[in-house]
Amino acid sequence: MNNTLTRKILAAVEEGFEEQIAFTEDLIRFPSLRCKEKPAQEFVHGALEKRGYAVSTFRVDEHKIKDHPGFSPVAVDYSETVNVVATHEPREAKGRSLILNGHMDVVPEGPHEMWEVSPPYEPKRVGDWLYGRGGGDMKAGIAANIFALDALRRIGFQPAAKVHIQSVVEEECTGNGALACLVEGYTADAAIIPEPEDEMLVRANCGVLWFEIHVAGHPVHVREAGTGANAIEASFRVIESLKKLTESWNAEKANYPYFADVEHPINFNVGKIEGGDWASTVAAWSKLSCRIAIYPGDDPKERAAAIESHLARDLAGDPFLGNRPPQVSWNGFFAKGYVLDEGTDAETALAQAHRNATSSDLKSFVTPGYLDARVFVIYAGMPCLVYGPITENIHGFDERVSLSSIKRVTGAIALFIADWCGIERIAEEGTSGY
Ligand code: ZN
């Protein structure tokens, strides 16, 4: 691609940038929490349709995906859980096809009074930062995908290959949204996911397991507490046991390519705890909602079985839990990690686009969290480039994404599309090819 075209594309991104950020702010205003993504998805459907793409909104159908090896078990109602996929068809397919993917779901925002700059769903720009829940993770990315294509149009071009723009759900809990798109038949020669990755490319990531632990106690009046068994107190022993398991899994890191130098790849989290019924009754039950990572290449089933057998073994001598072992159930992520092969044509193209958009070399890194890229890499054999803007506090309070970084990333994506897919003049312009 020549320098003039590169400059024109980057200038076109600049020209559309105010509109792009206004669109990102519109997305942030939707509290698109799990199972509540539909209004935001309808909004995106409309925005894509307005641009002339063929747009399909479809429900994530548990029955269609449940036998797929990438499926994660669910305990929620999927009736309002919809994906949106827009398709660009070239007049003449000359280049390589592409999927531009992003997830619309956001994680719960926590107590609103702990958001200091602006309430979570009221976007606010302060200097170079755009605040709001889901702004960085990853509504800025969804917007970047759409506006990268808009930038090409602004100068009279469109991709000379098929492009799907996907806005999926369930990335933060199961990965079933991206999986449903794959099962629906959407594949391409490469995919990009502009997740908040500080303008770096994800080389490898962890898989994730979600599970609940149910601890049953024995309710009595507190005056006889010695004869009862407090499920809440017992839960702490379960947590300690799982922390020990976590450390033993971290000690295996040298066996996994790219992970030997990651400080603490396997993180365990108790994210939610419920239990008991009454201040003066010894707690009869407790439920822990947990998350743990696994290495790429690990089989979720084997790691899940290892958790259950570890708890049974480690707590066998516990005066209470030994007799009433905690019950484990699997209710979310049951997902593998992935490694992106080095040296693919897609990576080379992104490195070039990144250099042209940012004047710096593309770095890659390993991240210990879940990413939907595993669906494309593991189950479709596609190179999937997870690469997106600089952010802070994703999943925390005062989540924020860098505006200048969004612009650079959008520029890099637009340049990548032009190179990977090739470009053709849009029909209205009359002439063909570039
Ligand atoms: Zn994300």
Side-chain angles (χ1 to χ4, degrees):
M1 197 164 37
N2 66 47
N3 286 341
T4 315
L5 180 60
T6 297
R7 276 199 302 275
K8 274 175 92 173
I9 290 173
L10 294 176
V13 168
E14 174 84 49
E15 214 182 304
F17 196 63
E18 175 53 40
E19 192 194 334
Q20 177 179 345
I21 297 307
F23 181 82
T24 308
E25 290 173 334
D26 286 342
L27 292 180
I28 292 171
R29 288 190 189 95
F30 289 97
S32 49
L33 294 153
R34 190 180 193 190
C35 297
K36 294 178 185 154
E37 306 94 340
K38 202 174 179 187
Q41 293 288 64
E42 284 170 347
F43 176 80
V44 163
H45 181 115
L48 292 165
E49 210 166 49
K50 206 175 72 190
R51 286 165 167 82
Y53 299 116
V55 191
S56 162
T57 290
F58 61 94
R59 198 172 70 79
V60 177
D61 184 347
E62 208 179 320
H63 302 287
K64 263 192 183 172
I65 58 175
K66 70 178 193 319
D67 295 325
H68 192 284
F71 175 71
S72 294
V74 279
V76 299
D77 176 15
Y78 269 180
S79 58
E80 297 275 290
T81 297
V82 295
N83 284 332
V84 179
V85 181
T87 301
H88 157 76
E89 293 281 359
R91 275 178 294 118
E92 198 185 340
K94 288 193 201 143
R96 293 162 286 193
S97 60
L98 180 64
I99 288 173
L100 298 167
N101 172 287
H103 67 84
M104 186 60 86
D105 53 318
V106 300
V107 300
E109 68 277 10
H112 286 211
E113 63 272 21
M114 296 187 78
W115 287 70
E116 288 182 4
V117 178
S118 184
Y121 300 110
E122 292 174 28
K124 187 171 174 181
R125 295 183 220 183
V126 181
D128 187 48
W129 295 106
L130 171 61
Y131 287 82
R133 167 57 84 235
D137 189 9
M138 60 167 288
K139 290 169 171 178
I142 291 177
N145 286 339
I146 297 171
F147 281 78
L149 288 166
D150 286 0
L152 298 180
R153 282 184 177 205
R154 193 166 288 112
I155 53 170
F157 292 111
Q158 61 183 16
K162 190 184 275 199
V163 178
H164 298 296
I165 307 163
Q166 302 181 336
S167 175
V168 303
V169 292
E170 290 280 296
E171 193 275 345
E172 300 286 6
C173 44
T174 60
N176 286 341
L179 185 72
C181 285
L182 180 67
V183 169
E184 210 61 30
Y186 294 105
T187 58
D189 295 321
I192 291 187
I193 310 181
E195 287 270 17
E197 307 297 358
D198 296 337
E199 300 182 22
M200 294 187 287
L201 175 67
V202 175
R203 173 66 59 207
N205 84 335
C206 287
V208 170
L209 304 177
W210 268 20
F211 52 103
E212 280 178 352
I213 299 190
H214 303 259
V215 181
H218 178 55
V220 293
H221 193 285
V222 267
R223 68 187 178 189
E224 298 145 0
T227 66
N230 189 311
I232 293 174
E233 287 179 24
S235 294
F236 289 103
R237 303 200 293 278
V238 176
I239 293 168
E240 285 313 311
S241 177
L242 287 167
K243 283 185 178 169
K244 273 194 279 177
L245 178 71
T246 304
E247 290 328 304
S248 75
W249 286 12
N250 275 297
E252 297 173 26
K253 68 182 183 180
N255 302 335
Y256 292 86
Y258 301 107
F259 281 82
D261 297 329
V262 178
E263 197 182 326
H264 198 264
I266 302 300
N267 291 314
F268 162 70
N269 183 51
V270 186
K272 190 173 165 188
I273 179 161
E274 298 161 87
D277 298 300
W278 188 249
S280 294
T281 301
V282 171
W285 65 281
S286 158
K287 186 169 90 176
L288 310 174
S289 299
C290 304
R291 172 266 190 213
I292 197 166
I294 60 175
Y295 294 101
D298 284 352
D299 180 351
K301 280 199 196 86
E302 284 173 21
R303 287 292 187 180
I307 290 171
E308 295 188 27
S309 59
H310 164 82
L311 286 174
R313 205 172 44 244
D314 195 47
L315 298 171
D318 185 281
F320 172 66
L321 292 166
N323 290 324
R324 256 186 215 209
Q327 303 298 305
V328 184
S329 63
W330 305 90
N331 67 332
F333 279 127
F334 209 71
K336 290 182 171 184
Y338 75 93
V339 173
L340 177 72
D341 286 343
E342 287 187 43
T344 60
D345 291 349
E347 181 174 341
T348 305
L350 182 67
Q352 184 61 45
H354 173 83
R355 201 172 298 118
N356 286 335
T358 68
S359 306
S360 57
D361 289 334
L362 180 65
K363 293 195 188 99
S364 61
F365 77 118
V366 175
T367 176
Y370 170 85
L371 291 165
D372 271 345
R374 58 108 199 183
V375 169
F376 301 98
V377 172
I378 299 173
Y379 303 113
M382 291 166 54
C384 182
L385 308 167
V386 179
Y387 163 84
I390 294 168
T391 57
E392 288 181 356
N393 309 330
I394 58 166
H395 294 212
F397 305 120
D398 299 318
E399 174 176 353
R400 62 185 193 172
V401 53
S402 159
L403 293 164
S404 54
S405 180
I406 296 173
K407 194 188 291 178
R408 289 190 292 275
V409 164
T410 308
I413 294 173
L415 294 174
F416 176 88
I417 296 168
D419 180 23
W420 183 258
C421 303
I423 47 176
E424 60 184 17
R425 288 250 170 228
I426 53 178
E428 298 86 73
E429 304 265 324
T431 50
S432 138
Y434 180 77

PDB file of all heavy atoms in Angstrom, residues 114-125:
ATOM      1  N   MET A 114     -19.265   4.633  44.295  1.00  0.00           N
ATOM      2  CA  MET A 114     -17.817   4.457  44.243  1.00  0.00           C
ATOM      3  C   MET A 114     -17.220   4.909  42.910  1.00  0.00           C
ATOM      4  O   MET A 114     -16.014   4.871  42.709  1.00  0.00           O
ATOM      5  CB  MET A 114     -17.456   3.009  44.560  1.00  0.00           C
ATOM      6  CG  MET A 114     -17.862   2.679  45.998  1.00  0.00           C
ATOM      7  SD  MET A 114     -17.320   1.096  46.584  1.00  0.00           S
ATOM      8  CE  MET A 114     -15.605   1.433  46.935  1.00  0.00           C
ATOM      9  N   TRP A 115     -18.085   5.324  41.996  1.00  0.00           N
ATOM     10  CA  TRP A 115     -17.602   5.925  40.741  1.00  0.00           C
ATOM     11  C   TRP A 115     -17.395   7.416  41.000  1.00  0.00           C
ATOM     12  O   TRP A 115     -18.353   8.137  41.297  1.00  0.00           O
ATOM     13  CB  TRP A 115     -18.611   5.691  39.612  1.00  0.00           C
ATOM     14  CG  TRP A 115     -18.624   4.278  39.137  1.00  0.00           C
ATOM     15  CD1 TRP A 115     -19.082   3.187  39.820  1.00  0.00           C
ATOM     16  CD2 TRP A 115     -18.134   3.789  37.885  1.00  0.00           C
ATOM     17  NE1 TRP A 115     -18.906   2.051  39.068  1.00  0.00           N
ATOM     18  CE2 TRP A 115     -18.329   2.385  37.871  1.00  0.00           C
ATOM     19  CE3 TRP A 115     -17.555   4.383  36.768  1.00  0.00           C
ATOM     20  CZ2 TRP A 115     -17.960   1.588  36.787  1.00  0.00           C
ATOM     21  CZ3 TRP A 115     -17.187   3.575  35.688  1.00  0.00           C
ATOM     22  CH2 TRP A 115     -17.386   2.198  35.706  1.00  0.00           C
ATOM     23  N   GLU A 116     -16.175   7.876  40.891  1.00  0.00           N
ATOM     24  CA  GLU A 116     -15.872   9.250  41.315  1.00  0.00           C
ATOM     25  C   GLU A 116     -15.997  10.276  40.202  1.00  0.00           C
ATOM     26  O   GLU A 116     -16.340  11.425  40.452  1.00  0.00           O
ATOM     27  CB  GLU A 116     -14.458   9.300  41.904  1.00  0.00           C
ATOM     28  CG  GLU A 116     -14.409   8.613  43.270  1.00  0.00           C
ATOM     29  CD  GLU A 116     -13.049   8.672  43.919  1.00  0.00           C
ATOM     30  OE1 GLU A 116     -12.132   9.303  43.357  1.00  0.00           O
ATOM     31  OE2 GLU A 116     -12.910   8.054  44.991  1.00  0.00           O
ATOM     32  N   VAL A 117     -15.698   9.896  38.971  1.00  0.00           N
ATOM     33  CA  VAL A 117     -15.645  10.894  37.895  1.00  0.00           C
ATOM     34  C   VAL A 117     -17.025  11.122  37.279  1.00  0.00           C
ATOM     35  O   VAL A 117     -17.427  12.249  37.028  1.00  0.00           O
ATOM     36  CB  VAL A 117     -14.621  10.473  36.817  1.00  0.00           C
ATOM     37  CG1 VAL A 117     -14.591  11.470  35.664  1.00  0.00           C
ATOM     38  CG2 VAL A 117     -13.227  10.338  37.438  1.00  0.00           C
ATOM     39  N   SER A 118     -17.736  10.042  37.061  1.00  0.00           N
ATOM     40  CA  SER A 118     -19.061  10.121  36.461  1.00  0.00           C
ATOM     41  C   SER A 118     -19.779   8.811  36.767  1.00  0.00           C
ATOM     42  O   SER A 118     -19.125   7.778  36.911  1.00  0.00           O
ATOM     43  CB  SER A 118     -18.905  10.308  34.941  1.00  0.00           C
ATOM     44  OG  SER A 118     -20.159  10.481  34.332  1.00  0.00           O
ATOM     45  N   PRO A 119     -21.107   8.830  36.876  1.00  0.00           N
ATOM     46  CA  PRO A 119     -21.809   7.556  37.070  1.00  0.00           C
ATOM     47  C   PRO A 119     -21.484   6.587  35.918  1.00  0.00           C
ATOM     48  O   PRO A 119     -21.187   7.040  34.798  1.00  0.00           O
ATOM     49  CB  PRO A 119     -23.286   7.956  37.074  1.00  0.00           C
ATOM     50  CG  PRO A 119     -23.287   9.405  37.439  1.00  0.00           C
ATOM     51  CD  PRO A 119     -22.033   9.973  36.846  1.00  0.00           C
ATOM     52  N   PRO A 120     -21.526   5.265  36.180  1.00  0.00           N
ATOM     53  CA  PRO A 120     -20.998   4.296  35.224  1.00  0.00           C
ATOM     54  C   PRO A 120     -21.558   4.364  33.811  1.00  0.00           C
ATOM     55  O   PRO A 120     -20.822   4.144  32.853  1.00  0.00           O
ATOM     56  CB  PRO A 120     -21.331   2.938  35.875  1.00  0.00           C
ATOM     57  CG  PRO A 120     -22.257   3.232  37.006  1.00  0.00           C
ATOM     58  CD  PRO A 120     -22.014   4.628  37.419  1.00  0.00           C
ATOM     59  N   TYR A 121     -22.847   4.695  33.680  1.00  0.00           N
ATOM     60  CA  TYR A 121     -23.435   4.687  32.340  1.00  0.00           C
ATOM     61  C   TYR A 121     -23.671   6.096  31.801  1.00  0.00           C
ATOM     62  O   TYR A 121     -24.490   6.309  30.919  1.00  0.00           O
ATOM     63  CB  TYR A 121     -24.718   3.846  32.340  1.00  0.00           C
ATOM     64  CG  TYR A 121     -24.426   2.421  32.747  1.00  0.00           C
ATOM     65  CD1 TYR A 121     -24.857   1.904  33.971  1.00  0.00           C
ATOM     66  CD2 TYR A 121     -23.651   1.596  31.926  1.00  0.00           C
ATOM     67  CE1 TYR A 121     -24.535   0.606  34.360  1.00  0.00           C
ATOM     68  CE2 TYR A 121     -23.325   0.303  32.309  1.00  0.00           C
ATOM     69  CZ  TYR A 121     -23.770  -0.187  33.529  1.00  0.00           C
ATOM     70  OH  TYR A 121     -23.444  -1.466  33.901  1.00  0.00           O
ATOM     71  N   GLU A 122     -22.937   7.051  32.379  1.00  0.00           N
ATOM     72  CA  GLU A 122     -22.961   8.424  31.861  1.00  0.00           C
ATOM     73  C   GLU A 122     -21.554   8.767  31.385  1.00  0.00           C
ATOM     74  O   GLU A 122     -20.710   9.178  32.170  1.00  0.00           O
ATOM     75  CB  GLU A 122     -23.426   9.394  32.948  1.00  0.00           C
ATOM     76  CG  GLU A 122     -24.886   9.197  33.322  1.00  0.00           C
ATOM     77  CD  GLU A 122     -25.315  10.069  34.499  1.00  0.00           C
ATOM     78  OE1 GLU A 122     -24.735  11.148  34.685  1.00  0.00           O
ATOM     79  OE2 GLU A 122     -26.227   9.628  35.227  1.00  0.00           O
ATOM     80  N   PRO A 123     -21.302   8.556  30.095  1.00  0.00           N
ATOM     81  CA  PRO A 123     -19.940   8.752  29.593  1.00  0.00           C
ATOM     82  C   PRO A 123     -19.485  10.190  29.807  1.00  0.00           C
ATOM     83  O   PRO A 123     -20.286  11.117  29.748  1.00  0.00           O
ATOM     84  CB  PRO A 123     -20.077   8.441  28.097  1.00  0.00           C
ATOM     85  CG  PRO A 123     -21.534   8.569  27.786  1.00  0.00           C
ATOM     86  CD  PRO A 123     -22.250   8.186  29.032  1.00  0.00           C
ATOM     87  N   LYS A 124     -18.200  10.337  30.069  1.00  0.00           N
ATOM     88  CA  LYS A 124     -17.662  11.683  30.287  1.00  0.00           C
ATOM     89  C   LYS A 124     -16.236  11.730  29.763  1.00  0.00           C
ATOM     90  O   LYS A 124     -15.449  10.817  30.020  1.00  0.00           O
ATOM     91  CB  LYS A 124     -17.688  11.999  31.786  1.00  0.00           C
ATOM     92  CG  LYS A 124     -17.306  13.423  32.108  1.00  0.00           C
ATOM     93  CD  LYS A 124     -17.565  13.707  33.580  1.00  0.00           C
ATOM     94  CE  LYS A 124     -17.052  15.100  33.962  1.00  0.00           C
ATOM     95  NZ  LYS A 124     -17.269  15.385  35.377  1.00  0.00           N
ATOM     96  N   ARG A 125     -15.929  12.785  29.027  1.00  0.00           N
ATOM     97  CA  ARG A 125     -14.563  12.964  28.531  1.00  0.00           C
ATOM     98  C   ARG A 125     -13.819  13.921  29.457  1.00  0.00           C
ATOM     99  O   ARG A 125     -14.325  15.005  29.761  1.00  0.00           O
ATOM    100  CB  ARG A 125     -14.563  13.567  27.120  1.00  0.00           C
ATOM    101  CG  ARG A 125     -15.185  12.662  26.084  1.00  0.00           C
ATOM    102  CD  ARG A 125     -15.068  13.301  24.706  1.00  0.00           C
ATOM    103  NE  ARG A 125     -16.300  13.087  23.948  1.00  0.00           N
ATOM    104  CZ  ARG A 125     -16.484  13.484  22.691  1.00  0.00           C
ATOM    105  NH1 ARG A 125     -15.520  14.120  22.050  1.00  0.00           N
ATOM    106  NH2 ARG A 125     -17.625  13.264  22.076  1.00  0.00           N
TER     107      ARG A 125
END
